[in-house]
Amino acid sequence: MCRVTDLQQAVLAKNDHRARDLRQELAARGTVLVNLLSSPGSGKTALLEAELTLATRRGVPVAALTADLATENDAVRLARSGAPVKQVLTDGLCHLEADLLRGQLDGWLPADTRLLFVENVGNLVCPAGYDLGETLRVALASVTEGEDKPLKYPSAFGLAHLVLVTKADLAAAVEFDEAAFLANVQQVNPGVEVLFTSARRGQGVGLLLDRALAAGEGGPGHEPVMARRAGGHGHGHAHGTAQAPDHADGHPGEHAHGHPHEHPHEHPHEHPHDRVHEHPHAHPHVGEPVPPR
């Protein structure tokens, strides 16, 4: 058991070192990496497509890398935004690691990319332990998943700089207890900002983009308590960036709930030969509705 634990620690230590290097490389070129973590079916692909589409319309240079065990479905959907998109098929690996990610960026990521969104493998366990060199880590949960999700997956939500609730348009239908969810989030990550979104209705679309751009100006603005306690590992997200002021305003008139409602803010694996696919830009039609989740 001790040997297994030592191996796991060695794997994480190696990943942390690679993540620090990647973070420095991206910072030098002015690129902010946003790591999106959620369980399968949370609606993060639909939300990310809407955010990428908005970014391209605003003229913000963005790109997205999406990881799945199989199929290129998510990359095909994201490419409709017009942003550069790459699909990584992990062939069973349940998470991305920093060196794996680093190897996908050479020769693909446009030099002027300001925001790189990484849609991690749909899993709230393995990805939580691996720093990818991100500036902003975002944990997502849909209203259909239940209010106790943060308590069941404390590392995923406890190490997040930002929490997004998706499919908010279904909250009443599934009797989602917003107060209970918010209390559970604050229990594992005191002070983290929670935003409510609905890609289908357009609620909150643009808030993730705004927070990502703000993180690029001076750090994520929230340091999770769990990260401070973690100390030695890079996935504790002590990135060495200055703490930014609280960016909770977004655009005038945009709020997490559609009304003013602010919330304070291990496994060793051998890498398979990953199959990678790039998808050409597909230019969206202005006004085209966001596809359902």
Side-chain angles (χ1 to χ4, degrees):
M1 180 66 180
C2 186
R3 297 179 69 179
V4 172
T5 301
D6 289 344
L7 180 57
Q8 290 176 338
Q9 291 176 342
V11 169
L12 288 174
K14 178 182 177 182
N15 181 81
D16 292 344
H17 178 74
R18 298 289 177 83
R20 284 192 293 270
D21 289 345
L22 179 56
R23 183 174 294 110
Q24 291 173 357
E25 289 180 30
L26 292 174
R29 60 186 285 169
T31 300
V32 173
L33 195 161
V34 181
N35 185 9
L36 304 176
L37 284 74
S38 80
S39 57
S42 67
K44 70 177 178 296
T45 304
L47 180 62
L48 181 54
E49 181 185 351
E51 297 285 344
L52 292 173
T53 300
L54 181 60
T56 57
R57 290 175 181 170
R58 289 184 182 175
V60 179
V62 293
L65 183 146
T66 181
D68 269 312
L69 276 66
T71 83
E72 300 176 35
N73 294 350
D74 288 352
V76 171
R77 292 175 61 186
L78 294 179
R80 295 184 301 204
S81 68
V85 174
K86 175 180 271 193
Q87 176 81 58
V88 176
L89 300 180
T90 65
D91 292 323
L93 188 64
C94 64
H95 61 277
L96 287 174
E97 296 180 12
D99 60 346
L100 190 161
L101 175 61
R102 176 67 182 80
Q104 308 304 331
L105 302 183
D106 283 338
W108 167 72
L109 188 66
D112 66 342
T113 302
R114 189 172 176 189
L115 300 178
L116 170 60
F117 289 94
V118 175
E119 186 179 15
N120 219 315
V121 179
N123 184 339
L124 284 173
V125 181
C126 301
Y130 288 85
D131 183 4
L132 297 184
E134 66 262 24
T135 299
L136 186 67
R137 175 177 286 209
V138 183
L140 300 90
S142 71
V143 298
T144 60
E145 296 177 73
E147 298 82 5
D148 59 350
K149 207 74 172 184
L151 301 182
K152 289 184 175 180
Y153 301 94
S155 292
F157 288 90
L159 288 171
H161 300 113
L162 176 68
V163 174
L164 295 183
V165 178
T166 59
K167 306 184 183 181
D169 55 306
L170 300 178
V174 299
E175 299 182 347
F176 178 73
D177 189 334
E178 178 181 322
F181 180 86
L182 293 173
N184 292 337
V185 170
Q186 295 304 314
Q187 183 174 328
V188 299
N189 195 347
V192 71
E193 185 180 23
V194 181
L195 302 175
F196 282 67
T197 68
S198 168
R200 176 177 291 176
R201 303 298 184 193
Q203 177 185 349
V205 171
L207 293 177
L208 174 58
L209 178 61
D210 291 342
R211 299 311 189 267
L213 290 170
E217 295 299 322
H222 169 73
E223 184 181 1
V225 172
M226 188 178 293
R228 296 197 293 270
R229 292 172 181 168
H233 288 299
H235 59 272
H237 298 280
H239 296 333
T241 54
Q243 289 297 315
D246 197 0
H247 299 281
D249 295 333
H251 291 295
E254 287 184 332
H255 296 281
H257 305 294
H259 55 82
H261 192 148
E262 294 293 335
H263 299 287
H265 304 322
E266 320 188 331
H267 310 284
H269 290 281
E270 301 215 354
H271 293 296
H273 295 290
D274 300 294
R275 289 174 286 154
V276 181
H277 303 273
E278 296 180 31
H279 291 263
H281 299 187
H283 299 288
H285 298 290
V286 176
E288 182 179 14
V290 175
R293 287 169 292 271

